[in-house]
Amino acid sequence: MNRILIFIIFILSSFTSTAQNKIDIKGKVKAKIINQQNSNLLVATSKATYGIDPQTQHLKWTTKKLKKVIYKSYMELGESSLILLEKKPLINSKFLSKLFNTKGASFIILDTDTGEIFFDSTRLNYKSIFNLEYFPKDKSILFTGIKHKSFFLYHLKLTDKAKNWEVKLADNKFIKAAKRQLIGNDNLIPNQNGNIFWVLDNQLRVFNAKNGQVTSEINNVKDIDYEPNSDILITYKENINVSKANKETLISAYLSGDMSLLWEQPVKVFGKIKKSILVDGRLIVITQTGFDVISLKTGQKQWEKSESLPLLEDVIPTVNNQYFVIQDQFFFKIDSTGQKAWKNPIKIFKSDDRGLYFIKQQRKYVLSITPSFIHKINSNTGELIGESPKTLNTSSFAERGLKLFNNRYHVWFDSVENTFLIFSNSRLYRTKVEEKLQPQLIFTFEEKSVPQFERRSNGYFFRQNNHFVYLDEEGHKIYDTTSSKIVKPSLINTTQSLGKQGYRIYSATLGFIPKQIDNAFKSVLVSTNVGVLNRSSAFVYGNYHNYTTLYDDFTSLPQVDVGSYLEDDFKTSKKGKIDKNTYVFVTYEEEKLYFKSLNKETGQIVNLKSTPLKSTDIMIDQALKIAYVFFKDHIEIYGLN
C-alpha cells in the first residue's frame, strides 16, 4: 500500500507543477518575441531588454541600449542570430528629412545570442535612412540615406564587416532636395547578377554590388522595373518633346547583366502610368484610360489602341492572349485586340467590401471570390453558371455605410484537391474548382475572427482560440472540440482580416518588412500553408497588397505582441525540431492554469501540467514545448515535455 500511495503522490506532484525557473525583470513589458533561429526569448520592458536561453532557461544578457527601438519592425536576417530593428525617429517624415536634412528613420542590427549591437546606422553619421533591402543569398544589406547633407549608398556584408562599401551619390542642398520631392522618384532594385539599380533625380545609376563602382548611367529615367526570370531591366522615360496634355512615356528594355538594349526602339505609352505588371513574358502597363501589353522579348505592343477603360485597377492574363480586368466594382474580359469580350460586366464587389479578390481560370469558366460574392462565370460569354452568385457579406447598405460591420474574411486554396476554402463572418464554405458545383457551407465557427489553418495529410485543421476543428477533404467533420479560454483573443488573431489593422502589426517607419513581403509577392502570389501557386502557371490572382492575412505565409516573422494577453504558437526554422502533430495550449479551470496537448489527427487532449492562476499573460514555444508566464516583476518558465 505504501508503494501505491507513493506512486499516486508522485503522479499528482508531476501534474501540479511550479515553474522550473524564475527570471526577474524591471519595468512594464512592451514586447516579447521568440527568435525562430535560436528560440531565444527577447523581452523588452520600459527599463531594459532581456535575452533568455530556452535550453538553460536562464538569463543570457541584459541591455539598456534598446529603449528607442521599434519592436514591431523586428526582422530576422537569414539563418543567423542577427535581427534588424528600427529606431524611433525624431521626426517621422521622409519628406522633411530629405528636404531639411533632419534626423529621421534609422536602424540597428542586434545579435540575439549576446545582446551586442552588430551595426548601428547612426554610428556612421546617417541622419536618415530611406531605402533598405536585405539579400539572403549573400547575407548583405543595402540602404540609402543622408549623411553630411549628401545622399549615400551603403552596402553592409553581414558575414564580413571589412567588405562594406559606401558611395556618395548627390549633394542634398535645399533647392535640389525640393526639386527631388516634387519629382518623387527614388527607387532601389538589385538584380540576380550582382548589379544594383538606383533611380534618383531622374537618373539611373548601375552599381557593381561587390565594390560599389558605377558601371552605367542613363539620364531622364523616371522609374524602373526588373523581371528576374528573364533578367530584364525596364526603364520609363517621359517624352519631353510632347505637351503635358499629350503625355507620353518611353519604355525601354535592357539585359541587366551588361545593360545592352533588348529592343531596337523605345515603346510609346500614352497617358500617365498608374501601375505596371510583369508576368508571362509580358509587360502590362495600366494608365488612366486603359492598358497596354508589351512583349518583353520583342518590344511589340499587342494592340495600338484598346477599349477606353477609366478607373481600371488590375489586369489578369488568361489564355489566348486575353485578359480579365477589374474596373471599380466590376469584372469582365478583354479580347486579344483590346476590346470587351463580354456583353455585360459582372459586379463582384459591394461598395465597402473592396480589398481581397481571387480569380481562377479553369477550362471554359472562371471562378471569382471576393468578400462580397462567389461567382462562377462562363469565360467565353460572361454568363453566370449554376446558382451563382453566392453572397458572402449579407450586411445591409446602412451597416456598411456606418462602418458597423467588419467582415472577417480569408481564403485558402488546396492545390492538391483543387479546392477553395472560404471563411466569411464565422462561416466556412468549400468549393471545388469544377463546373456547376455550388459553394457549400461546411462549418460555422463560434467567433468571427479568422481561425488559424493547417493542411494535414487527410484533411484540414482549424484553430480558433481554444476551439479545434478537423474536417476531411470533403468537408465532413472528423472532430470538433472546445476547451475553456483564459483570455480574450489576442490582438494579432483578431486583427488579421481585411483592412489596415493587421498591416500595422508589422509596419514601421522604414516600411522594411512590408517592402520585403511585397517583393516576395512579385514572384509568388498565393501561399496558403498548403502549397505555393506560381502566378504564371496557376492562373490564381489577387490584389495582394491589401491581403494582410497572407504575410505569415511568405516570411519567417514571428508574431509580435505589443501588449498583454498573448497566447499563441511560435515556429522555428530548425528542421525537425517542431512536433507538427501536437499543439500545446492553455485553459483555465477551477482557479488553475492547465497546460494541455492536442493531437491534431485524433483530437485527443492530454493534460501536461497545472499551476495556480497568477497571470494570464502567456507565451508558448510550440517547437521546444516551453511556456512563459509573465508577471509585473518576473517571468516564470515551465517545461511542458
Side-chain angles (χ1 to χ4, degrees):
M1 287 294 292
N2 289 338
R3 289 183 178 179
I4 295 175
L5 181 61
I6 291 171
F7 178 76
I8 293 172
I9 293 172
F10 172 76
I11 293 296
L12 291 175
S13 63
S14 64
F15 179 61
T16 302
S17 172
T18 57
Q20 288 180 301
N21 211 342
K22 175 183 173 182
I23 295 175
D24 294 328
I25 59 175
K26 294 181 179 180
K28 182 179 179 181
V29 174
K30 299 190 298 181
K32 38 193 183 288
I33 307 166
I34 294 177
N35 185 282
Q36 295 184 76
Q37 306 304 322
N38 52 27
S39 296
N40 288 341
L41 172 67
L42 274 66
V43 180
T45 74
S46 56
K47 300 291 184 182
T49 301
Y50 303 86
I52 299 170
D53 187 341
Q55 305 293 342
T56 64
Q57 298 184 7
H58 285 83
L59 185 66
K60 292 185 74 171
W61 50 265
T62 304
T63 180
K64 296 183 179 180
K65 299 178 180 180
L66 306 178
K67 291 183 179 180
K68 294 184 178 181
V69 302
I70 304 171
Y71 279 92
K72 287 184 289 184
S73 67
Y74 178 96
M75 180 71 178
E76 295 181 11
L77 300 176
E79 296 183 0
S80 72
S81 59
L82 300 178
I83 62 171
L84 183 143
L85 293 165
E86 296 178 27
K87 296 170 72 174
K88 293 179 181 178
L90 180 65
I91 300 175
N92 188 9
S93 171
K94 289 185 180 181
F95 178 86
L96 293 177
S97 295
K98 289 182 178 180
L99 195 60
F100 299 107
N101 297 301
T102 57
K103 287 185 178 180
S106 61
F107 73 96
I108 65 167
I109 297 175
L110 178 76
D111 190 332
T112 57
D113 276 336
T114 64
E116 296 297 320
I117 294 178
F118 178 86
F119 181 86
D120 186 341
S121 63
T122 59
R123 291 179 183 174
L124 296 177
N125 298 315
Y126 277 90
K127 282 193 170 184
S128 188
I129 305 298
F130 305 117
N131 294 298
L132 193 151
E133 295 277 355
Y134 169 62
F135 308 111
K137 186 175 181 180
D138 65 350
K139 296 180 176 59
S140 66
I141 285 176
L142 189 73
F143 66 86
T144 64
I146 289 179
K147 173 181 178 180
H148 304 316
K149 297 184 179 181
S150 297
F151 261 98
F152 280 84
L153 176 66
Y154 192 95
H155 183 266
L156 170 64
K157 190 81 171 178
L158 298 178
T159 55
D160 189 351
K161 291 183 180 180
K163 289 192 176 181
N164 298 334
W165 52 260
E166 182 181 55
V167 177
K168 180 180 176 181
L169 293 167
D171 292 329
N172 199 49
K173 295 180 180 179
F174 179 82
I175 299 299
K176 292 188 69 174
K179 181 181 178 182
R180 184 176 296 124
Q181 293 302 310
L182 293 174
I183 295 173
N185 59 336
D186 180 5
N187 195 1
L188 182 71
I189 297 178
N191 79 343
Q192 57 194 17
N193 297 317
N195 286 336
I196 299 164
F197 307 100
W198 190 15
V199 173
L200 184 71
D201 296 341
N202 277 359
Q203 184 179 43
L204 168 64
R205 295 179 178 89
V206 183
F207 299 87
N208 185 316
K210 293 181 179 179
N211 53 32
Q213 292 182 352
V214 178
T215 58
S216 300
E217 292 186 9
I218 303 176
N219 294 323
N220 301 320
V221 175
K222 181 73 174 180
D223 208 347
I224 56 176
D225 266 325
Y226 176 62
E227 206 291 302
N229 294 326
S230 304
D231 194 26
I232 294 174
L233 181 75
I234 306 295
T235 63
Y236 302 90
K237 294 183 178 182
E238 290 184 355
N239 191 344
I240 58 177
N241 295 321
V242 299
S243 65
K244 291 184 178 180
N246 300 314
K247 188 173 184 178
E248 289 181 0
T249 300
L250 303 178
I251 303 176
S252 299
Y254 299 82
L255 292 174
S256 72
D258 59 8
M259 289 300 292
S260 58
L261 271 170
L262 189 59
W263 307 335
E264 291 185 4
Q265 298 292 333
V267 177
K268 293 181 181 180
V269 172
F270 301 95
K272 184 178 180 180
I273 296 177
K274 294 169 52 181
K275 181 180 179 181
S276 61
I277 303 168
L278 289 163
V279 61
D280 293 343
R282 285 169 281 183
L283 171 63
I284 301 173
V285 181
I286 300 175
T287 68
Q288 292 175 317
T289 58
F291 73 101
D292 287 287
V293 181
I294 304 165
S295 167
L296 287 180
K297 185 177 181 180
T298 65
Q300 296 296 313
K301 279 187 178 182
Q302 187 167 333
W303 52 70
E304 280 303 316
K305 188 175 182 181
S306 68
E307 186 100 13
S308 178
L309 299 169
L311 302 177
L312 191 63
E313 295 184 13
D314 205 359
V315 177
I316 303 161
T318 183
V319 295
N320 300 324
N321 291 320
Q322 300 181 83
Y323 304 87
F324 297 122
V325 299
I326 308 291
Q327 185 185 35
D328 195 23
Q329 301 175 48
F330 296 93
F331 173 71
F332 52 93
K333 185 179 178 182
I334 295 295
D335 65 21
S336 59
T337 67
Q339 306 303 307
K340 290 181 180 178
W342 296 347
K343 183 178 180 180
N344 297 308
I346 306 294
K347 185 174 181 178
I348 62 172
F349 289 109
K350 293 182 180 179
S351 58
D352 270 9
D353 278 344
R354 306 309 306 279
L356 168 70
Y357 53 85
F358 283 101
I359 308 295
K360 183 171 176 64
Q361 170 78 52
Q362 185 78 7
R363 295 188 295 275
K364 295 182 179 181
Y365 73 94
V366 60
L367 180 71
S368 165
I369 305 175
T370 75
S372 307
F373 307 105
I374 302 174
H375 289 89
K376 290 196 173 183
I377 309 163
N378 184 308
S379 60
N380 292 325
T381 65
E383 296 176 351
L384 297 180
I385 295 175
E387 299 176 18
S388 181
K390 172 70 177 178
T391 301
L392 293 178
N393 189 347
T394 58
S395 62
S396 68
F397 177 80
E399 285 178 316
R400 297 197 307 274
L402 294 173
K403 298 183 178 180
L404 299 176
F405 189 89
N406 185 11
N407 184 26
R408 305 292 186 183
Y409 174 75
H410 198 117
V411 176
W412 299 278
F413 178 69
D414 182 351
S415 58
V416 177
E417 293 295 317
N418 209 21
T419 297
F420 279 96
L421 298 174
I422 303 123
F423 178 87
S424 179
N425 296 323
S426 77
R427 297 182 297 274
L428 182 68
Y429 299 90
R430 172 186 177 273
T431 179
K432 206 170 182 65
V433 186
E434 295 174 353
E435 270 187 291
K436 299 182 181 179
L437 179 62
Q438 181 70 9
Q440 300 171 327
L441 176 64
I442 59 175
F443 195 81
T444 301
F445 287 87
E446 297 175 353
E447 300 175 5
K448 291 184 178 180
S449 60
V450 177
Q452 299 295 314
F453 168 80
E454 181 183 337
R455 175 63 156 97
R456 305 291 295 173
S457 59
N458 62 343
Y460 311 114
F461 173 73
F462 293 91
R463 170 171 57 86
Q464 190 185 61
N465 300 316
N466 281 353
H467 183 194
F468 307 104
V469 178
Y470 200 128
L471 307 175
D472 68 15
E473 291 157 344
E474 299 299 320
H476 302 128
K477 185 168 61 179
I478 297 176
Y479 67 77
D480 177 4
T481 181
T482 302
S483 293
S484 61
K485 307 176 183 67
I486 60 170
V487 293
K488 296 178 181 179
S490 72
L491 173 68
I492 292 166
N493 283 337
T494 57
T495 58
Q496 284 193 346
S497 59
L498 287 180
K500 296 182 179 179
Q501 288 179 315
Y503 184 86
R504 284 198 295 267
I505 295 297
Y506 297 124
S507 181
T509 309
L510 286 176
F512 173 65
I513 292 172
K515 185 175 182 181
Q516 296 297 311
I517 295 166
D518 179 63
N519 288 342
F521 271 114
K522 288 179 180 177
S523 58
V524 180
L525 192 65
V526 180
S527 175
T528 59
N529 295 325
V530 179
V532 173
L533 302 176
N534 186 283
R535 182 166 190 165
S536 61
S537 62
F539 290 107
V540 178
Y541 300 88
N543 56 340
Y544 45 84
H545 295 287
N546 294 327
Y547 195 14
T548 62
T549 49
L550 284 181
Y551 281 178
D552 282 341
D553 297 330
F554 278 91
T555 66
S556 59
L557 292 174
Q559 294 173 331
V560 181
D561 183 29
V562 294
S564 295
Y565 307 114
L566 172 66
E567 185 226 335
D568 218 321
D569 62 310
F570 291 79
K571 296 181 180 179
T572 178
S573 62
K574 295 178 181 178
K575 295 180 180 179
K577 199 170 187 180
I578 188 169
D579 179 6
K580 295 184 178 180
N581 198 44
T582 61
Y583 174 73
V584 176
F585 63 100
V586 185
T587 67
Y588 173 53
E589 301 169 12
E590 300 174 351
E591 298 184 353
K592 284 186 178 181
L593 287 178
Y594 284 81
F595 297 98
K596 300 184 178 185
S597 176
L598 169 80
N599 185 304
K600 295 178 184 177
E601 292 289 336
T602 66
Q604 182 180 5
I605 294 175
V606 176
N607 291 324
L608 299 175
K609 289 186 179 181
S610 70
T611 184
L613 177 64
K614 298 177 183 178
S615 171
T616 56
D617 195 359
I618 300 167
M619 288 177 67
I620 295 177
D621 186 330
Q622 295 289 341
L624 300 183
K625 298 297 185 285
I626 296 174
Y628 300 96
V629 184
F630 294 85
F631 298 85
K632 289 184 178 180
D633 59 354
H634 70 280
I635 304 167
E636 292 182 3
I637 305 175
Y638 295 83
L640 302 178
N641 287 313

